[in-house]
């Protein structure tokens, strides 16, 4: 059994790309592993100034996870800032992290290349992420390709600290899922909030219909056979359908006589049904914000127990504590 940990940015409404690439997979780990899953609101501060929006996004992300089946009894589920020791560890780790290591961060360099004037929080982002991982002694970190280097920086920081002060941290491994196929948005590019092409998980029926019907297809006439592998509608259909339905749909594409409009209608029905039970659960939870807050508070208390021995060990090792033992 591994200790699997990953954090999620509270960036607003989550879409089906997020669901298949990350949330479904994370939630799946709770059955056979020790799952640590949290909402990274401190990281969000590097690029947000709207307090009300951050608060709303944080709770929305919590609602989404709980509605989609994250079980707070099995997993450790919390909001990053509810465990203040993480910022304490960030500072201590920062004092053992060379500036050059952070200057080599691709995501930092990318942001600068895009014209962003970086704040110091953005520069130290990977140290906070290292603290997120090392505080809980996690060993497996499922992340997207874009975050792989951050996990490598975490490894560097952990190894260096262990070498200086003796065994303190588990050195984590990134887990990158290569098979996750590209999930297209309505315009056929990768589904992403920044492209404005998302289909959200908890879309209302009318908007969902509008979005699915607007998925870009080619202009092959109804009667002609169609190539399912080149069709955005089919790429989404297969995520929701079982193998038998996927094969049946593939055959209909290849046979000709089915228009894209028909395939879209079937996809629409599938998406709506797939998320129906989750939608009900989300509505129930959204009606009871007190319960959600209680779940998060309990989650933070339970997870903080795991953080205490690590932070105490660190304080002792670096000399920030009156006890030498
Ligand atoms: N930086 C990650 C992202 O943007 C989120 C994150 C923060 C994270 N802390 C983490 C991921 C710790 C894994 C482990 O996606």
């Amino acid at each position: 059994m591994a200790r699997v940990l990953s954090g999620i940015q509270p960036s607003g409404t989550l879409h089906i790309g997020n669901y298949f690439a990350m949330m479904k997979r994370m939630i799946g780990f709770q059955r056979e592993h020790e799952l640590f899953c949290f909402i990274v609101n401190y990281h969000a501060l590097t690029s947000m100034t709207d307090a009300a929006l951050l608060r709303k996004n944080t709770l929305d992300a919590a609602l989404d996870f709980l509605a989609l089946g994250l079980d707070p009894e099995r997993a450790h589920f919390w909001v990053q800032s509810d465990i203040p020791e993480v910022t304490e560890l960030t500072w201590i780790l920062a004092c053992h992290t060379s500036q050059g290591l952070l200057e080599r961060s691709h995501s930092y360099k990318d942001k600068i290349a895009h014209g962003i004037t970086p704040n110091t929080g953005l520069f130290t982002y990977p140290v906070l992420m290292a603290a997120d991982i090392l505080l809980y002694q996690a060993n497996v970190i499922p992340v997207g390709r874009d975050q792989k280097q951050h996990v490598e920086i975490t490894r560097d920081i952990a190894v260096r600290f262990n070498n200086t002060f003796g065994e303190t941290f588990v050195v984590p491994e990134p887990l990158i899922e290569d098979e996750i196929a590209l999930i297209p948005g309505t315009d056929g590019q990768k589904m992403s909030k920044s492209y404005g092409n998302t289909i959200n998980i908890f879309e209302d029926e009318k908007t969902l219909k509008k979005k699915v019907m607007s998925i870009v297809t080619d202009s092959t006439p109804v009667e002609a056979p169609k190539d399912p592998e080149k069709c955005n509608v089919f790429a989404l259909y297969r995520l929701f359908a079982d193998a038998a339905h996927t094969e049946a749909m593939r055959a209909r594409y290849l046979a000709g006589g089915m228009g894209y409009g028909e395939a879209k209608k079937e996809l629409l029905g599938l998406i709506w049904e797939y998320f129906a039970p989750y939608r009900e659960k989300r509505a129930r939870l959204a009606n009871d914000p007190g319960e959600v807050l209680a779940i998060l508070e309990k989650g933070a208390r339970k997870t903080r127990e795991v953080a205490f021995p690590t932070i105490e060990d660190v304080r002792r090792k670096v000399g920030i504590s009156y006890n030498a033992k």
Side-chain angles (χ1 to χ4, degrees):
M1 195 160 93
R3 183 169 286 180
V4 181
L5 174 146
S6 196
I8 287 88
Q9 292 260 9
S11 53
T13 322
L14 293 159
H15 55 72
I16 61 183
N18 298 132
Y19 177 73
F20 286 103
M22 178 259 284
M23 302 170 89
K24 182 171 182 243
R25 180 168 166 237
M26 278 294 276
I27 293 168
F29 284 119
Q30 72 191 4
R31 267 177 277 126
E32 279 163 31
H33 297 282
E34 238 188 319
L35 175 64
F36 283 63
C37 177
F38 58 112
I39 300 162
V40 299
N41 57 344
Y42 274 139
H43 279 110
L45 280 184
T46 60
S47 59
M48 267 182 96
T49 49
D50 184 336
L53 185 62
L54 178 56
R55 215 170 276 129
K56 177 180 184 304
N57 286 354
T58 304
L59 285 179
D60 278 348
L63 276 176
D64 288 345
F65 265 99
L66 293 168
L68 291 168
L70 188 125
D71 178 354
E73 296 296 322
R74 270 177 191 263
H76 288 75
F77 182 58
W78 74 102
V79 173
Q80 186 183 33
S81 62
D82 283 341
I83 303 191
E85 285 76 12
V86 79
T87 56
E88 181 183 352
L89 183 60
T90 300
W91 177 255
I92 297 174
L93 295 178
C95 296
H96 298 278
T97 305
S98 73
Q99 180 161 330
L101 182 66
L102 301 183
E103 277 167 351
R104 288 192 289 279
S105 155
H106 302 311
S107 83
Y108 179 70
K109 287 195 285 193
D110 266 11
K111 296 216 165 102
I112 292 180
H114 280 90
I116 290 172
T117 310
N119 56 55
T120 322
L122 193 65
F123 183 65
T124 3
Y125 185 111
V127 188
L128 176 57
M129 183 156 158
D132 278 335
I133 296 171
L134 302 178
L135 184 58
Y136 310 105
Q137 308 285 1
N139 42 18
V140 176
I141 317 299
V143 283
R145 286 231 147 267
D146 62 318
Q147 295 293 317
K148 184 167 180 242
Q149 193 194 23
H150 285 157
V151 181
E152 281 157 5
I153 293 174
T154 302
R155 289 172 57 86
D156 281 357
I157 294 175
V159 167
R160 181 160 169 180
F161 194 97
N162 287 348
N163 285 342
T164 310
F165 295 103
E167 275 313 299
T168 309
F169 296 122
V170 168
V171 180
E173 301 281 342
L175 179 69
I176 316 278
E177 192 76 79
D178 276 322
E179 300 102 75
I180 291 177
L182 184 105
I183 298 168
T186 50
D187 61 357
Q189 294 186 82
K190 179 187 170 173
M191 192 179 290
S192 161
K193 208 178 157 200
S194 46
Y195 298 149
N197 63 1
T198 60
I199 298 173
N200 297 332
I201 299 172
F202 295 113
E203 207 85 82
D204 68 71
E205 204 164 0
K206 213 172 130 210
T207 316
L208 182 65
K209 182 166 178 194
K210 210 173 112 212
K211 288 191 173 174
V212 171
M213 289 313 193
S214 77
I215 297 172
V216 171
T217 51
D218 62 26
S219 52
T220 318
V222 175
E223 328 72 66
K226 300 176 181 62
D227 183 352
E229 297 306 326
K230 290 203 181 118
C231 178
N232 298 319
V233 181
F234 187 75
L236 292 171
Y237 184 92
R238 67 192 311 169
L239 292 169
F240 291 94
D242 60 25
H245 284 89
T246 303
E247 282 324 299
M249 182 54 93
R250 184 193 304 282
R252 287 169 70 190
Y253 267 80
L254 296 172
M258 178 187 67
Y260 288 121
E262 211 176 317
K264 287 178 181 178
K265 280 201 189 106
E266 302 232 354
L267 172 63
L268 174 64
L270 265 187
I271 299 179
W272 186 257
E273 266 169 51
Y274 185 97
F275 290 119
Y278 305 125
R279 202 173 297 119
E280 274 170 36
K281 180 150 184 217
R282 196 182 191 287
R284 234 184 307 122
L285 283 167
N287 261 327
D288 194 353
E291 188 193 335
V292 177
L293 292 180
I295 290 173
L296 292 175
E297 198 192 315
K298 200 170 157 199
R301 236 182 297 130
K302 171 166 131 181
T303 311
R304 216 169 166 197
E305 296 291 323
V306 182
F308 281 140
T310 308
I311 195 73
E312 273 165 17
D313 186 31
V314 168
R315 286 179 191 139
R316 192 173 51 74
K317 282 185 168 134
V318 301
I320 301 288
S321 126
Y322 298 108
N323 286 333
K325 277 193 208 114

